[in-house]
Amino acid sequence: MALLAVREFVENNTVEPQLLFPQSRNYRMGVQIDHLTQHAENIGDRIAVIDDRGNSAPRHISYVAFNDAVNALANGFLSLGSGGGSHIAWWGNNSLEILTAIHAIRKSGGVSIPIPYKSTSDEAQYLLQAADVEILLIENQYLPILEPIRDDLKSLKHVVSFGDNLINGESIPMGDVLGSSTKPVTEGNYASTQQMIFTSGTTGKPKGAIRKVGGEANQFGPLFKLIGWDRMDQLIYLTTGPLYHSGPLGFTLRSQLVGSTVVTQHSFDPEDWLRLVDSHRVTSTFSAPTPMRRITALPDDIKSKYDVSSLECFIANAAPWTMKLKRAYLHDFREDSLWEIYGSTELSVCTVLAPEDQLRKPGSCGVPAPGVSIKIFDDDGEEISEPDVPGELYAKSVAVFDTYYKSHDQYLEDHRDGYQTVGDIAYVDDEGYYFICDRKKDMIITGGVNVYPAEIENVLDDHPQVAEVAVFGIPDEEWGEAVCAVIVCMDNLNEKELINFAKERLSGPKVPKKVFIRSDLPKTGSGKVLKRELKQWVQENS
């Protein structure tokens, strides 16, 4: 969709909550009606969730049965003493039970807090303590990680467990908590209902970003229409990546706003992902770069075994997709299926890049999404109006988060006249397309020149033997900072060869002065590279 078409769409599509519930007769302006209740009434026979782990028969549950299960768990949380604003965390792989818990927390009026299932005891202790969690729902396999820290979690009153393996005697089986399947008395009261999602922690300790729950139609109704979710007879959405990350979680829940069938992949495996797309005729998903790198890197004889033609809408985000990865995707999947968005845990969806622009606008993250206003400011706080001038990007929409838990001062530091930033540096071209240069804190100043790692990473990624690359600055007596690249190779590649490759494509200050080869790059659960760990590794190996 060309820019003019996107602009016309945004201007001509006002927010219509009925878009989400076209068969509903009960919607009244100003009254919050839970969408699961609506779906149970209007499309109750439709399959809500398919939990397919490949090693046993998939579990299917209709919207009527799913809504009943959510109500039963919500009433169970209330029976444990939860009230408006109670902090309830969930810790487990993608599953029917985790989706049930997420919705049950909302219906009980609580604050939903995901815990990454790969957390160590120390990491989990930090998150559970920082969030003052009162009730924790946890998959049984992670109870041994919780056990050493349980006594130190003073706010934690109840641990509810589910799944296979032995149940710890100090936890309550999920089945014993379930209450009545009738509508909870708290349903629809969104005054205290929130999400608290911790930032990825790529540059320091994670912070809990709080966002109100409810009113999603005001932000996402037009976006759904733009990407085609309202035109699909039955949206079938696959969870690519862990639900504890804001991107996979957000789009999974948004797909359920329009009555999708959600297929859960318990843990990611690239060939199993293809199996799920094929066997369930998946139409849409959201993914960070790392899973798609692994999928497109599969041998052709494996990829050819699966029919992926049903995939109509693939949403790329969580970290920038390089052009090399986009070309690999477009080789294996429908050319009209790839959408890219730019956003963050705090800012939600900010921009959208349509399929027609993926190759036409290399490096762009698109134009402002419906309902989003974007401004770019210079270091003096002056708004930048001319094209191609980098500055700090600020966004405003109803989906922007409300504050950081116990760190409102940090929220205010990043706030400007109703707009919020996460420190990304961006510019807009003369056609209105935005380009993210890099995080402000990641910018390298070498010899007095501002250098953005993302630009260098995109160039180096085009080398045929480079699988992954991370670029950052390291202290240097002569230059102040020197550009350093850490490379994961698909085949033999020496440092000199890569530097010569860079010299042919980059100006002098941007050419890496040091190159290191590794077998992998450390990442967060959402697939973002942990550059602080790489900097420490470089220091130890220099």
Side-chain angles (χ1 to χ4, degrees), residues 419-440:
Y419 288 74
Q420 201 72 24
T421 185
V422 292
D424 286 334
I425 301 297
Y427 66 90
V428 60
D429 70 8
D430 56 4
E431 289 188 292
Y433 285 78
Y434 284 81
F435 294 75
I436 304 298
C437 302
D438 225 310
R439 282 289 172 95
K440 188 174 184 178

Side-chain angles (χ1 to χ4, degrees), residues 128-147:
L128 293 165
Q129 286 180 331
D132 296 320
V133 171
E134 302 161 63
I135 299 174
L136 171 63
L137 184 134
I138 182 171
E139 194 168 354
N140 286 333
Q141 63 176 311
Y142 301 111
L143 282 168
I145 301 172
L146 176 67
E147 185 176 2

Side-chain angles (χ1 to χ4, degrees), residues 398-409:
V398 298
V400 170
F401 81 127
D402 299 299
T403 189
Y404 291 115
Y405 185 60
K406 293 182 176 179
S407 296
H408 191 61
D409 56 339

Side-chain angles (χ1 to χ4, degrees), residues 305-320:
K305 291 163 46 179
Y306 303 97
D307 179 4
V308 295
S309 62
S310 62
L311 196 57
E312 299 178 12
C313 177
F314 192 107
I315 302 167
N317 183 243

Side-chain angles (χ1 to χ4, degrees), residues 239-309:
T239 62
T240 305
L243 290 177
Y244 63 72
H245 178 57
S246 60
L249 172 63
F251 275 91
T252 297
L253 297 183
R254 289 161 198 159
S255 78
Q256 291 187 306
L257 281 171
V258 295
S260 75
T261 294
V262 171
V263 181
T264 62
Q265 185 177 32
H266 194 250
S267 58
F268 181 76
D269 174 84
E271 184 174 357
D272 184 60
W273 186 93
L274 292 172
R275 177 190 69 83
L276 292 171
V277 171
D278 184 357
S279 59
H280 299 293
R281 310 309 299 148
V282 168
T283 61
S284 187
T285 191
F286 168 102
S287 178
T290 302
M292 187 46 58
R293 285 184 189 275
R294 294 180 60 190
I295 292 164
T296 56
L298 288 170
D300 288 339
D301 60 334
I302 291 179
K303 290 188 286 188
S304 64
K305 291 163 46 179
Y306 303 97
D307 179 4
V308 295
S309 62

Side-chain angles (χ1 to χ4, degrees), residues 76-348:
F77 287 147
L78 294 174
S79 71
L80 292 177
S82 69
S86 290
H87 289 198
I88 305 176
W90 44 275
W91 181 350
N93 291 58
N94 300 351
S95 66
L96 170 60
E97 288 81 5
I98 287 296
L99 279 174
T100 302
I102 293 167
H103 288 289
I105 295 168
R106 185 191 73 252
K107 284 202 176 196
S108 68
V111 179
S112 176
I113 305 165
I115 304 297
Y117 55 72
K118 295 181 180 179
S119 296
T120 65
S121 293
D122 288 343
E123 291 168 336
Q125 181 174 357
Y126 170 80
L127 297 176
L128 293 165
Q129 286 180 331
D132 296 320
V133 171
E134 302 161 63
I135 299 174
L136 171 63
L137 184 134
I138 182 171
E139 194 168 354
N140 286 333
Q141 63 176 311
Y142 301 111
L143 282 168
I145 301 172
L146 176 67
E147 185 176 2
I149 61 174
R150 175 72 185 271
D151 292 342
D152 297 323
L153 302 172
K154 304 306 180 186
S155 299
L156 187 60
K157 301 173 184 176
H158 302 286
V159 175
V160 180
S161 61
F162 70 93
D164 299 329
N165 306 323
L166 183 65
I167 295 178
N168 186 297
E170 296 184 6
S171 67
I172 310 170
M174 184 174 172
D176 292 350
V177 171
L178 301 179
S180 167
S181 62
T182 58
K183 184 171 73 173
V185 295
T186 49
E187 181 174 311
N189 179 16
Y190 294 129
S192 60
T193 306
Q194 298 172 326
Q195 283 182 342
M196 185 193 304
I197 300 181
F198 281 87
T199 58
S200 56
T202 54
T203 58
K205 283 288 190 182
K207 300 185 294 293
I210 292 180
R211 175 180 286 107
K212 291 185 177 67
V213 173
E216 287 90 346
N218 295 320
Q219 172 70 18
F220 297 113
L223 178 63
F224 297 157
K225 192 172 183 180
L226 175 64
I227 65 177
W229 280 13
D230 68 316
R231 295 192 298 272
M232 296 181 183
D233 292 336
Q234 184 172 342
L235 176 64
I236 302 175
Y237 182 91
L238 173 61
T239 62
T240 305
L243 290 177
Y244 63 72
H245 178 57
S246 60
L249 172 63
F251 275 91
T252 297
L253 297 183
R254 289 161 198 159
S255 78
Q256 291 187 306
L257 281 171
V258 295
S260 75
T261 294
V262 171
V263 181
T264 62
Q265 185 177 32
H266 194 250
S267 58
F268 181 76
D269 174 84
E271 184 174 357
D272 184 60
W273 186 93
L274 292 172
R275 177 190 69 83
L276 292 171
V277 171
D278 184 357
S279 59
H280 299 293
R281 310 309 299 148
V282 168
T283 61
S284 187
T285 191
F286 168 102
S287 178
T290 302
M292 187 46 58
R293 285 184 189 275
R294 294 180 60 190
I295 292 164
T296 56
L298 288 170
D300 288 339
D301 60 334
I302 291 179
K303 290 188 286 188
S304 64
K305 291 163 46 179
Y306 303 97
D307 179 4
V308 295
S309 62
S310 62
L311 196 57
E312 299 178 12
C313 177
F314 192 107
I315 302 167
N317 183 243
W321 280 40
T322 64
M323 291 305 296
K324 181 178 179 179
L325 179 57
K326 286 185 178 183
R327 287 191 290 267
Y329 172 89
L330 294 173
H331 179 269
D332 291 342
F333 298 89
R334 289 172 46 165
E335 290 189 359
D336 63 350
S337 65
L338 184 59
W339 294 79
E340 184 172 9
I341 64 168
Y342 158 72
S344 64
T345 299
E346 294 95 329
L347 303 183
S348 191

